[in-house]
Amino acid sequence: MPGRASALSLPVQMRSRVALQSYARRTPVFTFASGGVLVSLTLPERVSAAHVEFARSLAEQAAAYAVEVERLYRNGASRKAAA
């Protein structure tokens, strides 16, 4: 990542949420909410191939994240952490 970068760590809590809001005449908004933090992914009015590539990458990585969380859950990681 060239240049300046910001980092945000958003711990997932029991009440954390994600949402997609689609609109007929404008680009969608994808939102992450956890605790008192709300992060919204937005697009410009004109969507490019790079935006499509990013959205597909986001979906692929989110699916891989879900697989890892499910694996940890099946292996009892959540029970070990609570003990």
Side-chain angles (χ1 to χ4, degrees):
M1 199 185 315
R4 195 176 211 185
S6 297
L8 170 68
S9 176
L10 186 60
V12 175
Q13 303 170 356
M14 293 297 291
R15 297 181 69 188
S16 296
R17 299 288 178 257
V18 294
L20 170 67
Q21 186 63 47
S22 295
Y23 302 96
R25 297 175 196 251
R26 60 172 279 207
T27 58
V29 177
F30 191 66
T31 304
F32 300 82
S34 186
V37 177
L38 177 71
V39 177
S40 295
L41 302 181
T42 61
L43 295 164
E45 288 183 36
R46 296 182 73 107
V47 178
S48 71
H51 295 114
V52 173
E53 184 178 330
F54 173 80
R56 288 184 176 160
S57 178
L58 176 65
E60 289 170 4
Q61 294 302 306
Y65 178 78
V67 167
E68 285 299 302
V69 172
E70 289 169 0
R71 180 186 62 78
L72 289 171
Y73 179 75
R74 282 192 308 274
N75 291 334
S78 62
R79 291 182 291 278
K80 291 175 188 170

